[in-house]
Amino acid sequence: MRIISANLNGIRSAYKKGFLDYLAAAEADFVCVQELKAQEADLADDMKRPHGMYGAWHCAEKRGYSGVALYSRRQPDRVQTGIGVDEFDREGRFVRADFGRLSVVSLYLPSGSSAPERQEAKFRFLDVFYPMLDAMHGEGRDIVICGDWNIAHQNIDLKNWKGNQKNSGFLPEEREWMGKVINELGWHDTWRELYPEAPGYTWWSNRGQAYAKDVGWRIDYQMATPNLAAAVRSASVYKDERFSDHAPLVVDYDYSL
């Protein structure tokens, strides 16, 4: 079973850069995308059901902003959009689909880098999402939460960690929260468990030559419950083509429904 997670920084822009063709070659069973920057009326048919896959999406009310989608080869048994908090559900940040005993989530956690007010909103999201993560883990299902978490957990997860300790995405409070998700709630960071010493950057600033010099951050994750995490066999960051300022995170699981 192959799952891909990718922040597209605009689905229409990513499609113009070849993302649809990439999906055809990638042969994924599930694809989670974030930052659609489009509303449902803006989505062409191949954005709703790429290559005949089933699609579920949660678009932001604000045009050209946020939004997530989830694509699957199998029709979902159930789809949930939003986390039940109006402030964040208006921004289109969460879609979950259930397939038998498996649940797949596409998540776009808020960024706090644009203004202090957005950082406060990010902290509010962390506060309300934590018990939701606890509840999902307690369901006893096989669940994977894919997406842009907008937090680099450890020093290895970003190139310039010393210079970013006071910046959103690497604040002590954010890192502590992520540590609790893993160490107290029991979610598994699939990449880091496979590759404890490989940075695995998935995002690069558009400033300077960050991408060319590989001055990146690992902020895209596939977080899994224990049984599913035990089935992980390999993971990679796709960099042969560039669709946005993020790169797709591809994880293969020895798992069948």
Side-chain angles (χ1 to χ4, degrees):
M1 179 178 74
R2 174 166 291 174
I3 302 179
I4 295 175
S5 183
N7 180 312
L8 300 182
N9 195 15
I11 189 170
R12 288 166 291 184
S13 172
Y15 267 50
K16 289 177 181 177
K17 296 174 182 175
F19 187 71
L20 182 64
D21 292 336
Y22 162 69
L23 290 185
E27 298 182 333
D29 298 286
F30 303 95
V31 180
C32 298
V33 297
Q34 303 85 41
E35 210 168 352
L36 299 177
K37 292 187 174 181
Q39 293 174 303
E40 186 172 346
D42 302 322
L43 299 175
D45 289 344
D46 59 5
M47 296 175 186
K48 292 182 176 180
R49 296 196 61 173
H51 306 296
M53 299 180 85
Y54 293 93
W57 44 87
H58 186 205
C59 300
E61 291 181 4
K62 181 180 177 181
R63 296 194 68 85
Y65 182 74
S66 191
V68 293
L70 190 159
Y71 305 113
S72 59
R73 297 198 178 279
R74 172 172 166 172
Q75 185 172 4
D77 302 325
R78 172 181 174 267
V79 172
Q80 172 192 346
T81 57
I83 62 173
V85 179
D86 188 58
E87 174 186 4
F88 302 113
D89 290 349
R90 290 196 304 266
E91 296 182 346
R93 296 193 173 276
F94 180 97
V95 60
R96 166 180 168 167
D98 297 342
F99 310 85
R101 68 183 186 277
L102 174 70
S103 295
V104 182
V105 175
S106 184
L107 170 74
Y108 182 34
L109 200 147
S111 169
S113 60
S114 62
E117 295 79 13
R118 291 307 300 167
Q119 184 62 45
E120 290 304 314
K122 184 177 185 179
F123 283 139
R124 289 195 298 274
F125 187 95
L126 299 184
D127 287 343
V128 299
F129 195 50
Y130 190 84
M132 189 174 177
L133 286 167
D134 191 19
M136 282 193 286
H137 191 279
E139 290 181 28
R141 296 174 56 79
D142 297 327
I143 304 177
V144 58
I145 304 176
C146 307
D148 180 358
W149 291 64
N150 265 313
I151 299 172
H153 180 208
Q154 299 171 315
N155 294 352
I156 191 175
D157 295 322
L158 71 168
K159 183 74 170 182
N160 184 19
W161 66 267
K162 289 183 179 179
N164 280 290
Q165 295 179 79
K166 295 183 179 180
N167 291 334
S168 181
F170 199 58
L171 295 174
E173 302 96 320
E174 298 170 333
R175 299 171 63 198
E176 181 182 7
W177 182 89
M178 187 67 84
K180 288 181 177 179
V181 168
I182 296 167
N183 298 318
E184 295 186 9
L185 297 186
W187 289 88
H188 291 253
D189 177 352
T190 53
W191 176 275
R192 189 54 67 220
E193 291 194 7
L194 278 173
Y195 311 120
E197 298 180 1
Y201 304 142
T202 59
W203 176 81
W204 299 261
S205 170
N206 287 321
R207 299 174 183 172
Q209 293 183 304
Y211 188 78
K213 296 179 179 179
D214 201 24
V215 181
W217 295 53
R218 188 176 75 96
I219 55 177
D220 300 270
Y221 298 80
Q222 293 194 26
M223 290 284 198
T225 48
N227 184 60
L228 189 57
V232 173
R233 293 297 173 260
S234 64
S236 61
V237 179
Y238 181 78
K239 295 179 66 179
D240 291 353
E241 302 168 89
R242 198 169 187 206
F243 310 113
S244 79
D245 50 352
H246 293 248
L249 171 62
V250 184
V251 181
D252 290 322
Y253 300 80
D254 185 8
Y255 183 95
S256 58
L257 290 170

